[in-house]
Each structure stands twice: as C-alpha cells, then as structure tokens.
Amino acid sequence: MLVVLDISGSQLEMLPFSLSSCTSLEELNISGNPFGRSELAAPLASLRSLEHLRVLLADDCELPSIPQELIVMSQLQILGAVSYTHLTLRR
C-alpha cells in the first residue's frame, strides 16, 4: 500500500492518470514540475480520487491559481505552495 510518493522535479506538465489508482496515498510531493505550462485544462485532475491525501507539496509548479481539485479535498491538511507569486483562488 503506497502512502507517500515523491515525484518532485520530474518535469511533468500533468499528473499521470495512473496516480488516481493510488487511493491510499496520504503524502504527495509534486514540487518543481511545470504544471502551469500544460495545455490541458486540468493538469492535476488525478488528484480528485486521492481521498486520503493529507499533505501536498506543490512548490514551484508554475500554477497561476489554486486548482479546483485542491479546494474540494476535505482531508488535505498541509499544502506547501510557498513559491507561488500572485496566487489566486479559482472559484
């Protein structure tokens, strides 16, 4: 059972769809991936199925706003996003 995953600095522009099958994941580090460069509307869509995710480290991901996928995550306790500039909440 995978509970911690670090894919930081992997040059991903979107999260892999296979991540959605890691339903026991509690901590995820996606820092340093250029998700803001993705041409897809929802490069973090795979996060929707991670119901147990408590910690998400997403520093330096080039996102202009906090994606809706993060806003609805009820178990999320820690969001590491300190290097965002001009970050806005998307509703």
Side-chain angles (χ1 to χ4, degrees), residues 9-72:
S10 299
Q11 297 304 307
L12 300 172
E13 291 186 10
M14 68 171 285
L15 289 176
F17 293 115
S18 58
L19 185 64
S20 60
S21 66
C22 300
T23 55
S24 300
L25 204 58
E26 295 180 10
E27 297 182 24
L28 177 62
N29 186 348
I30 60 172
S31 297
N33 287 295
F35 298 117
R37 295 183 199 166
S38 177
E39 295 183 13
L40 297 174
L44 304 181
S46 296
L47 292 176
R48 291 181 186 141
S49 62
L50 304 181
E51 297 175 2
H52 300 286
L53 196 66
R54 296 180 302 103
V55 177
L56 178 64
L57 303 177
D59 299 314
D60 196 26
C61 287
E62 302 181 22
L63 292 170
S65 62
I66 297 175
Q68 186 67 31
E69 292 86 359
L70 301 182
I71 295 169
V72 298

Side-chain angles (χ1 to χ4, degrees), residues 58-89:
D59 299 314
D60 196 26
C61 287
E62 302 181 22
L63 292 170
S65 62
I66 297 175
Q68 186 67 31
E69 292 86 359
L70 301 182
I71 295 169
V72 298
M73 297 183 81
S74 62
Q75 297 297 317
L76 194 62
Q77 298 171 5
I78 298 172
L79 172 61
V82 294
S83 60
Y84 285 92
T85 55
H86 304 101
L87 188 62
T88 59
L89 183 62

